[in-house]
Amino acid sequence: MNGPSPKAGGREWLGLAVLVLPVLLVSITVTVLYFAVPFLSADLRPSGTELLWIVDIYAFLLAGLLIPMGSLGDRIGRRKLLLWGAAAFGLTSAAAAYAPSAELLIAARALQGAAAATLMPPTLALIRNMFHDPGQRRTAVALWAASFAGGSVLGPIVGGWLLEQLWWGSVFLMNVPIMVLLLVLGPFLLPEYRDPRPGRFDLWSALLSLAAVLPLVYGIKQLAGGGAVLEVAVAVAAGLVLALVFVRRQRALDSPMLDLGLFRDRGFGVSLLADTLAIFALVGVFYFVSQYLQMVLGLRPFMAGVLTLPAAGMALVGALVGAALVSKFRPGPTIAAGMLVACAGFVALSQVAPGTGQAVLITGLALLGGGIGVVQALASDLVVAVAPPERAGSASAVLEAATEMGGALGVAVLGSMGLAVYRSALVIPEGLPPEAAQIAGETLGGALGVAVELPEHLASALLDSARAAFTDGMQLSALVAAAMLGLSALLTAVTLRRLDTDAASAARARSEA
């Protein structure tokens, strides 16, 4: 009973390859649409409001349904939920690809987001069931985390290539053959697991979870887009109140949808916070990097995506190195070390300017990719390691919901800071018409649009000033991200200095036996 945990074989590693596919696709789908917006706008001619819903509705439903779907998978079977979700994701992707109107595309994107929520929690939870040896589990989780981070970076590359070769619907249609492959291989390579004492699925908890997350995400996105303060405050307040009602209901239920006892474990809570802050910093700064590459350096979407490849490659390297290091060092200091590496990457990005060349940019992206890879891999492993097997789906869903929230907050907070710097640093050249000056003063994209219609000397002066102001905003955001990760590294190193995941996993295994 106290002997070594059984080792996974070839079937389990092939099963892991199958599990990585939906994670990679869901992550790519989040970012790839940004590049398709101009093409679908020309074809479907959506209004400004419709275009916002086309972009945002996917993330709203994905974030809002993660926790209910994680709990549902624990109850009905994780493989079953994954395969149902794969079929739904493939069908809704095909519907989105051939949507003849903006209204139908919004509906298809909403259903696609709901289907994506059924894919994410079972993937990480099934890794917990397939890999019992702590070292193998860490490696498997590292590959899972690297695919999640890498998908966000690969989205622009894949999207740029598809849009140059095909039509905008191809960014959705690429999901279909991958989902078919998952449906064919999943039943043979993936085990089934469900809670032996599942309890009743509480529909009211599911509705409360969705109702709490939707206004929170909406408020955060409105903040990032410069929405009215009152509208943002009302949305966030409504979300927080509903979240409090959700928590109170969980405490009163015999079989809650979310086991609040998980948060009493320091390894769970601190890992969740570390992962959320890392994604906050990464997504918030990448919001500027993608625009910098295209609007400041003037690169095409595909080439801009290629320049971000060091971040994706180093995320994989960092995840695997972190999984190897934690067998010799405790996870708390190892996660803290990853945060410091990412911190160095953000400091490097704070020095990027049009005259510095691309070496500084690539170095910064590589460092932050490697550091974030370490953090995400080890934090994800801690979350599934400390959770009971029957609650692994719920624990995974909480991690992924926190990741979605961290990314949205990163764009909102760091994006707002950078935008404030842009507006204060922009110097409007003399002779610019007031209407053009107002548009250029909002965003760099606005300045680029205005410059096309201006005389050459005015356009050149405006663009030089706008690009310099935008770069100043990106540099400040990178410095804030670096400071935040530096403090997070200190917190993680101190609070998790005694935590030993191998000992915790062994104790859990003995308790289960």
Side-chain angles (χ1 to χ4, degrees):
M1 213 164 20
N2 294 331
S5 301
K7 295 274 189 178
R11 179 177 178 178
E12 284 76 16
W13 290 107
L14 287 173
L16 176 65
V18 172
L19 288 177
V20 162
L21 292 176
V23 176
L24 192 64
L25 274 184
V26 169
S27 185
I28 287 175
T29 304
V30 172
T31 57
V32 73
L33 186 64
Y34 293 114
F35 292 89
V37 163
F39 299 90
L40 68 87
S41 296
D43 189 15
L44 301 182
R45 300 187 181 278
S47 66
T49 302
E50 288 173 335
L51 187 58
L52 285 175
W53 279 112
I54 288 170
V55 173
D56 289 338
I57 193 66
Y58 175 89
F60 285 179
L61 270 295
L62 172 60
L65 290 173
L66 277 169
I67 292 176
M69 292 304 174
S71 177
L72 182 63
D74 288 340
R75 285 168 166 78
I76 68 170
R78 292 166 188 165
R79 186 181 68 184
K80 179 186 291 186
L81 181 67
L82 179 64
L83 296 179
W84 285 0
F89 194 74
L91 290 172
T92 54
S93 295
Y98 293 104
S101 67
E103 294 84 359
L104 289 177
L105 180 56
I106 292 170
R109 287 281 289 167
L111 294 173
Q112 192 183 33
T118 67
L119 294 174
M120 295 300 292
T123 56
L124 186 56
L126 282 171
I127 290 175
R128 172 76 165 79
N129 303 127
M130 294 162 61
F131 297 90
H132 302 284
D133 176 74
Q136 287 189 324
R137 187 196 65 236
R138 279 193 294 267
T139 301
V141 172
L143 292 169
W144 178 92
S147 69
F148 190 81
S152 300
V153 177
L154 290 173
I157 301 174
V158 174
W161 183 83
L162 287 172
L163 292 168
E164 288 180 7
Q165 304 298 322
L166 302 169
W167 92 113
W168 62 264
S170 61
V171 301
F172 299 116
L173 204 60
M174 68 175 180
N175 299 330
V176 176
I178 305 299
M179 291 298 102
V180 171
L181 188 63
L182 175 57
L183 287 169
V184 171
L185 298 179
F188 300 101
L189 296 175
L190 301 177
E192 182 60 284
Y193 182 89
R194 61 175 61 86
D195 186 350
R197 296 180 297 277
R200 184 174 59 88
F201 182 79
D202 185 43
L203 181 60
W204 285 110
S205 291
L207 294 175
L208 278 172
S209 172
L210 180 63
V213 172
L214 286 181
L216 280 173
V217 176
Y218 175 79
I220 292 168
K221 284 185 171 287
Q222 288 297 104
L223 176 63
V229 174
L230 180 60
E231 183 181 7
V232 171
V234 169
V236 172
L240 292 175
V241 169
L242 289 168
L244 180 61
V245 175
F246 173 79
V247 169
R248 289 177 63 88
R249 183 169 181 82
Q250 302 315 293
R251 287 177 174 170
L253 292 174
D254 294 330
S255 180
M257 176 170 288
L258 177 60
D259 184 3
L260 300 177
L262 290 172
F263 292 92
R264 289 194 289 269
D265 190 298
R266 183 177 296 179
F268 183 88
V270 176
S271 300
L272 198 64
L273 179 62
D275 185 73
T276 303
L277 291 177
I279 296 301
F280 172 97
L282 176 68
V283 176
V285 172
F286 250 85
Y287 171 76
F288 290 97
V289 170
S290 60
Q291 295 181 70
Y292 176 83
L293 293 172
Q294 295 178 76
M295 297 185 187
V296 176
L297 299 186
L299 299 176
R300 293 184 296 111
F302 178 76
M303 289 307 301
V306 168
L307 275 185
T308 62
L309 273 178
M314 288 304 295
L316 174 60
V317 173
L320 294 174
V321 168
L325 286 176
V326 84
S327 63
K328 297 179 172 36
F329 305 98
R330 291 183 185 272
T334 309
I335 293 175
M339 285 186 161
L340 291 177
V341 172
C343 180
F346 285 120
V347 170
L349 289 179
S350 73
Q351 306 304 308
V352 168
T356 59
Q358 296 178 359
V360 177
L361 173 70
I362 292 173
T363 300
L365 291 175
L367 286 172
L368 75 88
I372 297 295
V374 172
V375 174
Q376 200 169 22
L378 298 187
S380 301
D381 179 65
L382 277 174
V383 165
V384 296
V386 302
E390 66 275 8
R391 293 291 186 183
S394 299
S396 304
V398 172
L399 173 70
E400 288 144 14
T403 298
E404 291 291 326
M405 201 69 71
L409 275 171
V411 172
V413 176
L414 297 182
S416 298
M417 286 182 178
L419 185 59
V421 171
Y422 171 82
R423 289 171 176 170
S424 64
L426 179 66
V427 177
I428 301 295
E430 291 186 15
L432 196 68
E435 184 179 348
Q438 182 179 0
I439 295 172
E442 291 296 322
T443 63
L444 176 57
L448 291 173
V450 165
V452 175
E453 303 173 358
L454 295 175
E456 186 176 348
H457 71 285
L458 274 180
S460 177
L462 175 62
L463 290 178
D464 288 344
S465 176
R467 286 167 173 157
F470 180 86
T471 303
D472 289 345
M474 181 179 74
Q475 291 172 344
L476 174 68
S477 298
L479 284 174
V480 171
M484 178 179 295
L485 284 191
L487 292 173
S488 301
L490 179 62
L491 170 70
T492 305
V494 171
T495 54
L496 297 184
R497 66 187 183 278
R498 300 184 186 280
L499 183 67
D500 186 338
T501 50
D502 286 353
S505 297
R508 176 76 66 191
R510 288 194 296 271
S511 174
E512 291 163 13

